Amino acid sequence: MKSNLILFDDQRWENLLPLTFTRPVSELRIGILTIKEKWEKRLNLSISYLTKDYLSKKFKTQITDDNVFINSGLLPDDKLVTFIKNLKPNQYAKQNDILICARIGKIEPKDLTTYLDIDQILTSSESVIYTHELSFINRPYEIFSMNETELKKDFELITVGRQSQDFSSSNTIFGKYPVFLEIGVEMECCTINTNDGPVYLGKNVQIMEGTMIRGGFAACEGSIVKMGAKIYGATTIGPNCRLGGEVNNVVMMANSNKGHDGFLGNSVIGEWCNLGADTNTSNLKNNYLPVKIWSYADTGFKDTGLQFCGLIMGDHSKSGINTMFNTGTVVGVAANIFGDGFPRTFVPSFSWGGASGFITHQLKKAIETAEIVMKRRHLTLSTEDKEILEYIFNQPYTPSL
């Protein structure tokens, strides 16, 4: 099968806000890899996106004479991959009225702007049945709640047939799952327990002395774990993240920092975020009842069904020192939170303030901060990224401050 693969966003894109404000669903990381990287590893195909119009300048759609469309919220497994490989031209599959995949010939780009256009194109195509169970990402909190399963799957996918780098005898490593070190890893005087899951350390990762890790855990390329960190699985960071303090079942996207003491549990942190020293997040209500969090799609608070749920934070957001986040807090894009007390459990994008109240963060100032932060990592904020931030700033996705 030598086709052009397109990962298309459906209604899950809105369900997964604020994490998807700045990216297609397939750019979310869960396990070790992003959803896009999982498909790339398994199918070895060229991949592009079909996403929201304002994101499409950065995340482009490539059309050829043979195109395979796959729902971007799908997490691949062996059965699904085999099914898609055997998909014939002009065939598609749905389950519970949700489009899973389709194989379509040449299309005019003007006829393909959203996933809804695919249904129109498929009117003369053949429906085939997929009977096996599917694994979808539907809500932000599912990223951490499903991270253990995906971490184990990705670990096997990445490491099969490969040899780990050696680790220093100063480390204490025990348990039933393996530890895999890529080239350039630095780790001394650390303790790793793999009884509950594997540990993957990417290229040039640094694990400082005194760190204690309970798998599953993945530190992607270039990440640094600070001295004395206490990490409980299933946790994923990186690439190029900084992690310290105590964390439990957290997924942190690229280039974000929690470099100091403080607890973060059952949470998802976007890219280019920074949690100030002694930022703490509650992940359990005092009455032990299921946690409700803000849903952009439902324009209200929605029951997660989870007893443990901490912080969901969009890209480029920051917290000052000693910030306290209550159970089930959702923070949008480019928010800056500081001061004493608990801010409310829904903080809109471009908010500036804390428990005493918020004002709107100026777009110009937010972009200026993003540029400074990225320059420290020898990167620049692209024109496309600036346009995405401007679009988010001007959209009525959130109630007034």
Side-chain angles (χ1 to χ4, degrees):
M1 182 183 189
K2 293 185 179 296
S3 305
N4 175 52
L5 180 59
I6 301 169
L7 294 167
F8 69 88
D9 288 346
D10 61 5
Q11 67 274 15
R12 283 168 185 77
W13 181 89
E14 190 170 15
N15 291 342
L16 287 158
L17 295 173
L19 301 172
T20 46
F21 270 134
T22 48
R23 60 175 61 80
V25 173
S26 57
E27 283 294 317
L28 293 171
R29 187 174 303 277
I30 176 171
I32 302 174
L33 306 169
T34 65
I35 296 173
K36 175 177 178 282
E37 289 169 344
K38 296 174 193 288
W39 285 106
E40 286 176 332
K41 288 279 186 184
R42 289 175 177 271
L43 289 176
N44 193 28
L45 291 176
S46 171
I47 293 181
S48 64
Y49 314 84
L50 180 60
T51 186
K52 292 291 182 180
D53 185 59
Y54 80 93
L55 294 171
S56 62
K57 189 174 179 180
K58 179 178 180 181
F59 302 98
K60 295 178 171 60
T61 305
Q62 301 293 334
I63 303 294
T64 69
D65 291 342
D66 185 9
N67 307 283
V68 174
F69 293 84
I70 300 176
N71 193 305
S72 62
L74 272 172
L75 303 176
D77 57 33
D78 292 342
K79 291 178 181 177
L80 180 58
V81 168
T82 299
F83 179 82
I84 289 174
K85 283 182 175 179
N86 291 327
L87 204 64
K88 295 176 181 174
N90 298 315
Q91 286 187 333
Y92 69 94
K94 291 186 176 183
Q95 195 174 96
N96 299 322
D97 208 33
I98 297 171
L99 181 63
I100 301 170
C101 57
R103 188 172 177 183
I104 304 171
K106 189 173 183 179
I107 312 164
E108 293 297 328
K110 64 181 177 62
D111 296 328
L112 189 66
T113 57
T114 75
Y115 77 96
L116 296 172
D117 294 329
I118 302 174
D119 270 337
Q120 298 298 316
I121 296 167
L122 291 173
T123 51
S124 60
S125 297
E126 176 191 2
S127 174
V128 290
I129 298 172
Y130 186 78
T131 58
H132 302 290
E133 186 177 354
L134 294 169
S135 183
F136 276 103
I137 289 293
N138 293 290
R139 299 283 178 173
Y141 48 82
E142 292 177 347
I143 293 174
F144 67 75
S145 63
M146 298 171 67
N147 198 48
E148 180 179 0
T149 298
E150 286 300 305
L151 201 155
K152 290 175 180 176
K153 285 165 58 177
D154 286 351
F155 185 93
E156 183 177 352
L157 184 66
I158 290 172
T159 64
V160 63
R162 300 176 59 216
Q163 182 69 41
S164 169
Q165 299 295 306
D166 293 332
F167 49 82
S168 168
S169 60
S170 71
N171 299 291
T172 300
I173 298 177
F174 61 94
K176 66 179 183 180
Y177 287 92
V179 176
F180 193 95
L181 279 63
E182 299 283 6
I183 190 169
V185 171
E186 297 179 24
M187 182 173 65
E188 298 286 352
C189 302
C190 299
T191 302
I192 299 179
N193 176 350
T194 69
N195 278 319
D196 294 328
V199 171
Y200 173 82
L201 305 179
K203 292 180 181 178
N204 302 319
V205 162
Q206 184 179 3
I207 311 294
M208 294 185 181
E209 55 271 23
T211 295
M212 295 177 287
I213 299 172
R214 293 176 67 96
F217 174 65
C220 298
E221 182 173 352
S223 291
I224 297 173
V225 178
K226 297 297 192 70
M227 288 192 299
K230 295 176 285 187
I231 302 170
Y232 299 84
T235 290
T236 299
I237 65 168
N240 300 311
C241 286
R242 307 291 182 266
L243 184 65
E246 182 181 5
V247 297
N248 179 14
N249 190 201
V250 169
V251 176
M252 184 178 288
M253 309 289 178
N255 299 297
S256 287
N257 300 328
K258 181 200 173 298
H260 305 284
D261 285 346
F263 175 72
L264 180 66
N266 305 99
S267 298
V268 185
I269 308 298
E271 294 189 13
W272 301 108
C273 296
N274 188 76
L275 303 182
D278 203 36
T279 291
N280 283 282
T281 298
S282 169
N283 63 339
L284 175 68
K285 295 174 68 173
N286 286 350
N287 58 14
Y288 291 73
L289 291 176
V291 180
K292 293 182 180 180
I293 70 168
W294 178 262
S295 166
Y296 288 85
D298 299 289
T299 61
F301 288 90
K302 186 177 179 64
D303 193 342
T304 65
L306 299 174
Q307 192 175 51
F308 292 93
C309 185
L311 172 66
I312 308 295
M313 179 177 276
D315 288 6
H316 294 287
S317 287
K318 313 284 190 290
S319 70
I321 63 170
N322 301 123
T323 301
M324 299 185 296
F325 288 109
N326 223 325
T327 319
T329 296
V330 174
V331 177
V333 172
N336 198 312
I337 302 159
F338 52 88
D340 60 358
F342 288 93
R344 60 194 185 187
T345 53
F346 171 52
V347 179
S349 297
F350 294 93
S351 296
W352 178 282
S356 59
F358 289 95
I359 61 173
T360 301
H361 191 11
Q362 296 178 41
L363 175 62
K364 181 179 178 181
K365 293 290 187 181
I367 288 176
E368 183 181 87
T369 299
E371 288 176 324
I372 293 170
V373 170
M374 293 180 70
K375 188 176 181 180
R376 295 176 70 237
R377 301 280 178 90
H378 309 290
L379 296 170
T380 57
L381 187 69
S382 69
T383 300
E384 290 86 354
D385 286 324
K386 292 177 184 177
E387 290 173 352
I388 288 169
L389 290 174
E390 183 177 1
Y391 182 90
I392 298 165
F393 182 83
N394 290 317
Q395 293 309 302
Y397 280 114
T398 59
S400 62
L401 297 171

